[in-house]
Protein backbone atom coordinates (compact mmCIF):
# COMPACT_ATOMS: atom_id res chain seq x y z
CA UNK A 1 0.00 0.00 0.00
CA UNK A 2 0.90 3.66 -0.46
CA UNK A 3 -0.29 6.23 2.07
CA UNK A 4 -2.04 3.77 4.39
CA UNK A 5 -2.99 5.39 7.72
CA UNK A 6 -1.91 8.90 6.70
CA UNK A 7 -2.27 9.90 3.07
CA UNK A 8 0.78 11.04 1.16
CA UNK A 9 0.91 14.51 -0.34
CA UNK A 10 1.16 14.98 -4.09
CA UNK A 11 2.63 12.02 -6.00
CA UNK A 12 4.28 13.14 -9.24
CA UNK A 13 5.94 10.57 -11.49
CA UNK A 14 7.88 11.47 -14.64
CA UNK A 15 9.42 9.27 -17.27
CA UNK A 16 8.31 6.74 -19.87
CA UNK A 17 8.78 3.54 -17.89
CA UNK A 18 5.98 1.46 -16.39
CA UNK A 19 4.61 2.40 -12.96
CA UNK A 20 2.98 -0.47 -11.06
CA UNK A 21 0.76 -0.05 -8.02
CA UNK A 22 0.23 -3.45 -6.39
CA UNK A 23 -1.69 -2.12 -3.39
CA UNK A 24 -4.16 0.63 -2.55
CA UNK A 25 -2.93 4.22 -2.98
CA UNK A 26 -4.00 7.21 -0.85
CA UNK A 27 -2.57 10.67 -1.53
CA UNK A 28 -3.42 14.32 -2.08
CA UNK A 29 -3.03 14.00 -5.85
CA UNK A 30 -1.40 11.79 -8.46
CA UNK A 31 0.25 12.63 -11.77
CA UNK A 32 1.79 9.77 -13.75
CA UNK A 33 4.53 9.68 -16.33
CA UNK A 34 4.00 8.96 -20.01
CA UNK A 35 4.59 5.24 -19.59
CA UNK A 36 1.97 2.67 -18.65
CA UNK A 37 0.44 2.81 -15.17
CA UNK A 38 -0.60 -0.67 -13.97
CA UNK A 39 -3.22 -0.33 -11.24
CA UNK A 40 -3.35 -3.77 -9.60
CA UNK A 41 -4.27 -2.85 -6.03
CA UNK A 42 -7.94 -2.06 -6.51
CA UNK A 43 -8.07 1.61 -5.55
CA UNK A 44 -6.45 5.01 -5.92
CA UNK A 45 -7.89 7.67 -3.60
CA UNK A 46 -6.92 11.34 -3.73
CA UNK A 47 -8.37 14.51 -2.24
CA UNK A 48 -7.44 16.28 -5.47
CA UNK A 49 -6.95 15.27 -9.08
CA UNK A 50 -5.56 12.14 -10.71
CA UNK A 51 -3.86 12.61 -14.08
CA UNK A 52 -2.72 9.58 -16.06
CA UNK A 53 -0.55 10.83 -18.93
CA UNK A 54 0.18 7.38 -20.34
CA UNK A 55 -1.79 4.20 -20.85
CA UNK A 56 -3.53 2.60 -17.86
CA UNK A 57 -4.11 -1.12 -17.23
CA UNK A 58 -6.27 -2.63 -14.50
CA UNK A 59 -5.33 -5.80 -12.64
CA UNK A 60 -8.40 -5.90 -10.38
CA UNK A 61 -11.82 -4.32 -10.00
CA UNK A 62 -10.79 -0.72 -9.43
CA UNK A 63 -12.17 2.43 -7.82
CA UNK A 64 -10.55 5.76 -8.66
CA UNK A 65 -11.68 8.45 -6.21
CA UNK A 66 -10.78 12.13 -6.57
CA UNK A 67 -12.03 15.50 -7.73
CA UNK A 68 -11.30 14.79 -11.41
CA UNK A 69 -9.84 11.64 -12.93
CA UNK A 70 -8.14 12.41 -16.26
CA UNK A 71 -7.10 9.53 -18.52
CA UNK A 72 -4.94 11.08 -21.21
CA UNK A 73 -4.31 7.82 -23.04
CA UNK A 74 -5.90 4.39 -23.32
CA UNK A 75 -7.35 2.34 -20.48
CA UNK A 76 -7.33 -1.47 -20.77
CA UNK A 77 -9.62 -2.88 -18.10
CA UNK A 78 -8.39 -6.45 -18.35
CA UNK A 79 -11.98 -7.61 -17.95
CA UNK A 80 -12.34 -5.85 -14.58
CA UNK A 81 -14.86 -3.20 -13.52
CA UNK A 82 -13.98 0.49 -13.16
CA UNK A 83 -15.71 2.88 -10.77
CA UNK A 84 -14.89 6.60 -10.90
CA UNK A 85 -15.93 8.46 -7.76
CA UNK A 86 -15.65 12.07 -8.89
CA UNK A 87 -15.56 13.65 -12.34
CA UNK A 88 -14.15 11.79 -15.36
CA UNK A 89 -12.17 13.42 -18.16
CA UNK A 90 -11.67 10.75 -20.82
CA UNK A 91 -9.13 11.57 -23.52
CA UNK A 92 -8.13 8.04 -24.53
CA UNK A 93 -10.18 5.00 -25.53
CA UNK A 94 -11.41 2.78 -22.69
CA UNK A 95 -11.77 -0.90 -23.58
CA UNK A 96 -12.00 -4.39 -22.08
CA UNK A 97 -13.83 -3.08 -18.97
CA UNK A 98 -16.64 -5.05 -17.36
CA UNK A 99 -18.90 -2.49 -15.62
CA UNK A 100 -18.19 1.26 -15.80
CA UNK A 101 -19.72 3.79 -13.41
CA UNK A 102 -18.99 7.50 -12.99
CA UNK A 103 -20.47 9.37 -10.03
CA UNK A 104 -19.74 12.91 -11.23
CA UNK A 105 -19.64 14.66 -14.58
CA UNK A 106 -18.08 13.01 -17.63
CA UNK A 107 -16.19 14.77 -20.39
CA UNK A 108 -15.97 12.17 -23.15
CA UNK A 109 -13.28 12.72 -25.74
CA UNK A 110 -12.79 9.09 -26.78
CA UNK A 111 -14.61 5.79 -27.26
CA UNK A 112 -15.67 3.44 -24.45
CA UNK A 113 -16.26 -0.32 -24.74
CA UNK A 114 -17.55 -2.49 -21.88
CA UNK A 115 -19.04 -5.94 -21.55
CA UNK A 116 -21.34 -4.76 -18.74
CA UNK A 117 -23.32 -1.63 -18.08
CA UNK A 118 -22.18 1.97 -18.45
CA UNK A 119 -23.70 4.39 -15.93
CA UNK A 120 -23.10 8.14 -16.05
CA UNK A 121 -24.61 9.74 -12.93
CA UNK A 122 -23.60 13.33 -13.68
CA UNK A 123 -23.84 15.51 -16.75
CA UNK A 124 -22.08 14.17 -19.85
CA UNK A 125 -20.30 16.47 -22.30
CA UNK A 126 -19.04 15.17 -25.63
CA UNK A 127 -15.60 16.56 -26.37
CA UNK A 128 -15.31 14.59 -29.63
CA UNK A 129 -17.38 12.26 -31.79
CA UNK A 130 -17.91 9.38 -29.39
CA UNK A 131 -18.84 5.69 -29.62
CA UNK A 132 -20.17 3.81 -26.59
CA UNK A 133 -20.40 0.03 -26.86
CA UNK A 134 -21.61 -2.69 -24.48
CA UNK A 135 -22.28 -6.40 -24.76
CA UNK A 136 -26.05 -6.60 -24.30
CA UNK A 137 -25.93 -4.21 -21.34
CA UNK A 138 -27.61 -0.90 -20.54
CA UNK A 139 -26.08 2.51 -21.23
CA UNK A 140 -27.66 4.87 -18.69
CA UNK A 141 -27.35 8.66 -18.70
CA UNK A 142 -28.86 9.85 -15.41
CA UNK A 143 -28.30 13.55 -16.15
CA UNK A 144 -27.97 15.75 -19.24
CA UNK A 145 -25.99 14.98 -22.39
CA UNK A 146 -24.52 17.97 -24.22
CA UNK A 147 -21.62 19.39 -26.20
CA UNK A 148 -20.13 22.73 -27.20
CA UNK A 149 -20.18 21.90 -30.93
CA UNK A 150 -22.14 19.32 -32.88
CA UNK A 151 -20.50 16.04 -31.83
CA UNK A 152 -21.80 12.70 -33.08
CA UNK A 153 -22.79 9.99 -30.60
CA UNK A 154 -22.91 6.33 -31.61
CA UNK A 155 -24.25 3.77 -29.11
CA UNK A 156 -24.31 0.01 -29.61
CA UNK A 157 -25.76 -1.93 -26.66
CA UNK A 158 -27.23 -5.10 -28.18
CA UNK A 159 -30.25 -6.15 -26.12
CA UNK A 160 -29.25 -3.86 -23.25
CA UNK A 161 -30.94 -0.65 -24.30
CA UNK A 162 -30.18 3.01 -23.68
CA UNK A 163 -31.78 5.35 -21.15
CA UNK A 164 -31.54 9.14 -21.32
CA UNK A 165 -33.03 10.43 -18.06
CA UNK A 166 -32.69 14.14 -18.92
CA UNK A 167 -32.29 16.48 -21.87
CA UNK A 168 -30.00 15.75 -24.81
CA UNK A 169 -28.41 18.58 -26.79
CA UNK A 170 -29.87 21.46 -24.80
CA UNK A 171 -28.07 24.72 -25.57
CA UNK A 172 -26.01 23.33 -28.46
CA UNK A 173 -27.49 20.53 -30.54
CA UNK A 174 -25.61 17.26 -30.78
CA UNK A 175 -24.50 15.99 -34.17
CA UNK A 176 -25.86 12.69 -35.46
CA UNK A 177 -27.16 10.29 -32.81
CA UNK A 178 -26.99 6.68 -33.99
CA UNK A 179 -28.27 3.86 -31.77
CA UNK A 180 -28.04 0.19 -32.72
CA UNK A 181 -29.35 -2.87 -30.94
CA UNK A 182 -32.68 -4.45 -30.05
CA UNK A 183 -33.06 -3.08 -26.53
CA UNK A 184 -35.40 -0.27 -25.52
CA UNK A 185 -34.22 3.33 -25.96
CA UNK A 186 -35.87 5.78 -23.57
CA UNK A 187 -35.77 9.57 -23.93
CA UNK A 188 -37.11 11.21 -20.76
CA UNK A 189 -36.24 14.77 -21.80
CA UNK A 190 -36.17 16.89 -24.93
CA UNK A 191 -33.68 15.86 -27.62
CA UNK A 192 -31.92 18.27 -30.01
CA UNK A 193 -29.53 16.85 -32.61
CA UNK A 194 -28.59 16.96 -36.28
CA UNK A 195 -30.19 13.56 -36.87
CA UNK A 196 -31.40 10.51 -34.98
CA UNK A 197 -31.33 6.85 -36.00
CA UNK A 198 -32.77 4.35 -33.53
CA UNK A 199 -32.16 0.66 -33.08
CA UNK A 200 -34.66 -2.09 -33.83
CA UNK A 201 -36.05 -2.10 -30.28
CA UNK A 202 -38.78 0.14 -28.90
CA UNK A 203 -38.07 3.87 -28.66
CA UNK A 204 -39.95 5.47 -25.75
CA UNK A 205 -40.22 9.23 -26.23
CA UNK A 206 -41.29 10.52 -22.83
CA UNK A 207 -39.80 14.03 -22.85
Amino acid sequence: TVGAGTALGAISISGSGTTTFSGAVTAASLSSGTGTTAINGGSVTTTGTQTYNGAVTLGADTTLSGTTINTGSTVDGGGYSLTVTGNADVDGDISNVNVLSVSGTSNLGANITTTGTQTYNGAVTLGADTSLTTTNSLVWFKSTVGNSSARAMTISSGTGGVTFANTVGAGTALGAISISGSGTTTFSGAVTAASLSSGTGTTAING
Side-chain angles (χ1 to χ4, degrees):
T1 60
V2 177
T6 301
L8 268 64
I11 299 175
S12 179
I13 299 169
S14 61
S16 58
T18 297
T19 299
T20 302
F21 294 110
S22 297
V25 178
T26 308
S29 63
L30 172 65
S31 177
S32 79
T34 57
T36 298
T37 299
I39 303 175
N40 301 332
S43 68
V44 178
T45 302
T46 56
T47 53
T49 59
Q50 296 176 32
T51 303
Y52 299 95
N53 295 296
V56 171
T57 63
L58 304 183
D61 291 339
T62 299
T63 299
L64 304 179
S65 301
T67 53
T68 298
I69 312 301
N70 174 238
T71 49
S73 185
T74 58
V75 176
D76 184 341
Y80 295 102
S81 294
L82 175 60
T83 300
V84 175
T85 303
N87 301 323
D89 186 7
V90 179
D91 293 320
D93 288 351
I94 296 176
S95 63
N96 201 21
V97 168
N98 183 15
V99 172
L100 173 67
S101 176
V102 180
S103 71
T105 62
S106 296
N107 182 21
L108 304 183
N111 303 321
I112 299 176
T113 302
T114 61
T115 53
T117 58
Q118 296 181 27
T119 304
Y120 303 93
N121 289 282
V124 171
T125 301
L126 303 183
D129 295 343
T130 301
S131 294
L132 305 177
T133 303
T134 72
T135 303
N136 299 319
S137 297
L138 178 68
V139 178
W140 191 0
F141 302 97
K142 292 189 174 183
S143 186
T144 58
V145 178
N147 56 196
S148 58
S149 61
R151 303 294 191 182
M153 171 178 272
T154 301
I155 301 174
S156 176
S157 60
T159 60
V162 185
T163 298
F164 296 91
N166 211 310
T167 58
V168 177
T172 301
L174 265 64
I177 300 174
S178 178
I179 298 171
S180 62
S182 58
T184 297
T185 298
T186 302
F187 293 107
S188 296
V191 179
T192 310
S195 63
L196 171 64
S197 175
S198 74
T200 57
T202 298
T203 300
I205 304 174
N206 301 333

